[in-house]
Amino acid sequence: MPAITIGQHLVNRLKEVGIDVVFGVPGDFNMPLLDIIENDKDLTWGNNANELNASYAADGYARIRGAGAVVTTFGVGELSAVNGLAGAYSEMLPVIHIVGTPNTKSQASGAMLHHSLGDGNFDVFFNMSSMISCASSHLKKNNAITEIDRVISTAVRSKRTGYIGLPIDLIHYEVNVPELPPLALEIPKNPAQTQELALKVVTEAIAKAQHPVIIVDGCVLRHHAEKITEDFIKRSGFPTYVAPMGKGAVDESLPQFRGCYSGNITLEGINEEIKKADLFIEIGSIKSDFNTGNFSYNLDPTKTITLHSFATIVFCAEYQKVSMLEFLPLLTQALPKEPRVFNLGPRHQPLAIQEGTEITHNYLWNKVPEFIDENAIICGETGTSEFATLNLNGPKGASYITQFLWGSIGFSVGAAAGAAIADRKRRVYLFVGDGSFQLTAQEVSVMLHHGLTPVVILLNNDGYVIEKLIHGPDMEYNNFQMWNYSKALDFFGAHIERNTNAGCSKVGFEGKVSTRAEFEAAMKDIQGQPDKMHFIEVIMPRMDAPRELKLLVASSENR
């Protein structure tokens, strides 16, 4: 019977689900595992600045590649990563958290070890993380192989985080195993009879509808259902909208695409179209506050069909276990071959650029699409940037990374690093505020270290503007120390010979702009240098914000 070490088996399973970069920070309980990772020609070690940033990077990587992994050390390391991992769980990303834990003999004896609470309890952090994991395990010799497989396959199928605690003395422990089958990643088949009934009811409702619309949301992205969703849109011909978390799930060049719907913060013209609908077909909906304009959707449930990954809901009846992944292609096939035509006129657009020289949000988000490449990855930080993406006319093939549900400021910097290394052929554009940047700025160093080429666009409006809009616009707690942001690449070693010789990113534009003319000149320069990393600090009016954010804040219960 063949033998394999537990650490090697874990690494093999990570590669099996498409992971080729493992993020994290070294610690004395995980370094033997890092040896295996670094010596594997198919893997890259993320080499992150801290565990929080590493968890954000794994999240961003998983949004592009389908799954991510982060390695931390017992106690101090794993707790530093918890915020980012809770965000990945919340936003439905299968990130595998691997924690190097103390030697099993020390654990069994209750030794007072460093990084512990000193009480002999070595499961306390495992128990914490179990609350934000769909599957978790602290490995033992007799169950390590099956538990690794269970945690990874459950996380990938469920689109949630998984936790694996790996004692240091088990990393190189050999176990005899029979020939291992592939991981069980298949989604269970829908119950045939229930699905047949649901299909009948849905097709009848569609046939009766005079003004049906489709609303595409975030679960389409999480379950990689963009292709089957587009097939349904094209075959039906129905006007199609995306929710904020569904941005990027629909090709915005399709004639059926009408824009972003988010309740009361929607463009007025789009809201009028939604009001005329007599049937709503929601695909992968996520009914969170920021995703629904503070719960202002107001879709009539007696006119709503909701296709989820776990069920199909038709008006007020639920067809359990009828997943959209199998059901939606069947529904598409059941539609008439010729799509219906709806003459709704030109798509409604945000307010055009207003005159002036200052770089306002109205100007920036109307102008910047001219400088963004096709197939770009656009990262919008929690706050002004993510809300501005709602009505951004992005390029064809663009993906959007935002965190509307978890909303942790600083997330975008680590996520951009993860996304950039997940697909080096696509250009990453990071839009981050000055306050958020101060939380996770170190990850710029990691971008440089890996030779990545993102465009970092830092919006300097001198404070936590989203917080000021909600409460305390004149309070000092919403302000912080000013930095020389445009010097970030230099500070993080972009021009040090040792780093440039080791493959550090080449640097293009690094500077500050405060007028529209300066911004456009800088972006033209950046556009012509796709093989370099760029950092542009954009000076903006202090209390300016996108229209969508202002409307959302006006209805916030936290003011």
Side-chain angles (χ1 to χ4, degrees):
M1 187 176 290
I4 190 171
T5 66
I6 292 172
Q8 188 61 57
H9 176 72
L10 174 55
V11 165
N12 290 349
R13 288 310 203 192
L14 294 179
K15 294 195 292 184
E16 186 177 332
V17 296
I19 292 170
D20 66 359
V21 181
V22 179
F23 302 95
V25 176
D28 56 349
F29 294 127
N30 67 27
M31 287 191 285
L33 179 64
L34 303 193
D35 292 341
I36 299 173
I37 292 170
E38 186 166 324
N39 291 331
D40 192 310
K41 62 180 177 59
D42 298 322
L43 291 178
T44 297
W45 172 239
N47 215 338
N48 300 92
N50 59 57
E51 292 87 356
L52 175 61
N53 289 359
S55 63
Y56 288 154
D59 179 308
Y61 180 95
R63 291 172 191 252
I64 302 302
R65 293 292 289 261
V70 58
V71 176
T72 64
T73 198
F74 175 74
V76 294
E78 59 182 309
L79 293 186
S80 292
V82 162
N83 174 28
L85 291 159
Y89 182 94
S90 170
E91 299 244 338
M92 293 176 290
L93 279 309
V95 174
I96 312 301
H97 185 196
I98 302 156
V99 180
T101 66
N103 186 293
T104 52
K105 290 181 180 178
S106 296
Q107 293 190 48
S109 69
M112 188 180 290
L113 297 181
H114 63 286
H115 299 342
S116 77
L117 298 179
D119 60 358
N121 183 352
F122 291 95
D123 281 330
V124 60
F125 309 124
F126 161 72
N127 291 335
M128 289 181 185
S129 287
S130 296
M131 303 298 290
I132 52 169
S133 305
C134 69
S136 54
S137 183
H138 199 173
L139 302 182
K140 297 177 174 58
K141 289 180 180 178
N142 64 352
N143 71 359
I145 300 298
T146 55
E147 283 294 274
I148 288 168
D149 290 2
R150 178 183 69 85
V151 171
I152 294 177
S153 58
T154 302
V156 172
R157 287 198 309 267
S158 303
K159 311 305 177 191
R160 302 281 187 179
T161 50
Y163 177 102
I164 297 173
L166 175 55
I168 187 170
D169 57 316
L170 298 193
I171 294 171
H172 290 303
Y173 182 79
E174 282 196 350
V175 291
N176 294 318
V177 293
E179 185 174 344
L180 291 166
L183 289 171
L185 304 176
E186 300 80 12
I187 303 296
K189 295 281 290 181
N190 292 349
Q193 191 172 10
T194 309
Q195 179 164 263
E196 184 178 345
L197 180 57
L199 185 62
K200 180 176 183 294
V201 174
V202 172
T203 52
E204 287 176 353
I206 287 175
K208 293 176 183 176
Q210 297 298 308
H211 301 285
V213 299
I214 300 168
I215 302 174
V216 178
D217 211 336
C219 279
V220 169
L221 293 167
R222 299 299 181 265
H223 290 274
H224 312 289
E226 296 95 329
K227 176 62 168 60
I228 60 173
T229 299
E230 182 171 310
D231 290 344
F232 177 68
I233 293 168
K234 288 180 175 178
R235 181 74 169 259
S236 68
F238 298 166
T240 299
Y241 308 82
V242 293
M245 291 180 72
K247 182 78 171 178
V250 176
D251 179 357
E252 297 186 8
S253 68
L254 291 176
Q256 295 87 1
F257 180 73
R258 302 296 300 169
C260 182
Y261 177 65
S262 185
N264 290 344
I265 69 172
T266 307
L267 295 177
E268 289 80 359
I270 292 175
N271 248 335
E272 291 303 312
E273 292 178 8
I274 291 291
K275 288 178 183 177
K276 295 174 182 176
D278 60 357
L279 180 66
F280 306 100
I281 303 172
E282 296 182 309
I283 307 178
S285 67
I286 302 171
K287 296 294 181 64
S288 69
D289 50 359
F290 284 3
N291 202 39
T292 61
N294 278 335
F295 306 117
S296 59
Y297 253 33
N298 297 323
L299 302 185
D300 185 345
T302 66
K303 299 178 182 178
T304 303
I305 295 170
T306 303
L307 309 183
H308 281 298
S309 59
F310 55 87
T312 293
I313 302 170
V314 184
F315 309 139
C316 298
E318 180 173 337
Y319 298 81
Q320 295 184 1
K321 299 182 180 179
V322 177
S323 167
M324 65 182 182
L325 301 177
E326 182 182 337
F327 181 78
L328 190 54
L330 296 177
L331 179 59
T332 301
Q333 293 172 15
L335 295 174
K337 291 185 177 180
E338 291 298 321
R340 290 166 64 175
V341 178
F342 298 84
N343 297 313
L344 300 180
R347 181 153 61 94
H348 298 281
Q349 298 291 344
L351 183 67
I353 293 175
Q354 304 298 289
E355 290 185 7
T357 58
E358 284 187 312
I359 304 174
T360 60
H361 282 281
N362 163 263
Y363 164 80
L364 177 66
W365 302 106
N366 275 295
K367 194 66 181 179
V368 77
E370 297 179 17
F371 304 104
I372 298 179
D373 295 349
E374 284 195 356
N375 300 312
I377 299 171
I378 300 170
C379 299
E381 177 58 62
T382 297
T384 54
S385 295
E386 73 176 358
F387 281 96
T389 65
L390 269 60
N391 295 304
L392 180 74
N393 287 315
K396 186 175 177 61
S399 299
Y400 296 83
I401 294 179
T402 55
Q403 208 183 43
F404 279 100
L405 181 52
W406 186 243
S408 182
I409 65 171
F411 158 80
S412 68
V413 185
I421 203 169
D423 191 343
R424 290 175 179 265
K425 295 179 181 178
R426 302 176 69 186
R427 205 166 191 189
V428 170
Y429 296 80
L430 166 60
F431 295 90
V432 59
D434 49 346
S436 295
F437 183 74
Q438 291 202 8
L439 273 72
T440 51
Q442 309 98 315
E443 215 59 15
V444 167
S445 177
V446 178
M447 297 175 186
L448 290 165
H449 177 76
H450 285 292
L452 304 177
T453 57
V455 180
V456 181
I457 303 173
L458 184 134
L459 311 184
N460 185 349
N461 46 24
D462 193 16
Y464 294 124
V465 169
I466 183 172
E467 310 288 0
K468 291 178 179 180
L469 291 172
I470 295 171
H471 186 86
D474 300 315
M475 302 304 290
E476 279 305 306
Y477 55 69
N478 279 327
N479 295 314
F480 41 79
Q481 182 86 347
M482 181 62 71
W483 287 4
N484 281 323
Y485 298 102
S486 61
K487 306 289 187 183
L489 300 186
D490 184 51
F491 175 79
F492 286 117
H495 306 295
I496 295 174
E497 185 177 359
R498 171 191 161 186
N499 295 336
T500 57
N501 290 342
C504 174
S505 307
K506 296 178 181 177
V507 173
F509 184 90
E510 47 181 334
K512 181 189 301 187
V513 298
S514 57
T515 68
R516 299 178 183 188
E518 291 173 347
F519 175 76
E520 291 169 29
M523 291 304 294
K524 287 175 184 175
D525 184 20
I526 289 168
Q527 197 174 30
Q529 301 181 73
D531 60 337
K532 295 179 180 178
M533 182 173 176
H534 307 271
F535 195 107
I536 176 171
E537 178 185 354
V538 179
I539 306 301
M540 306 188 76
R542 288 192 72 185
M543 289 298 290
D544 190 36
R547 163 197 171 276
E548 295 78 9
L549 180 58
K550 290 178 179 178
L551 289 173
L552 186 88
V553 166
S555 62
S556 172
E557 61 184 26
N558 299 325
R559 301 194 76 186

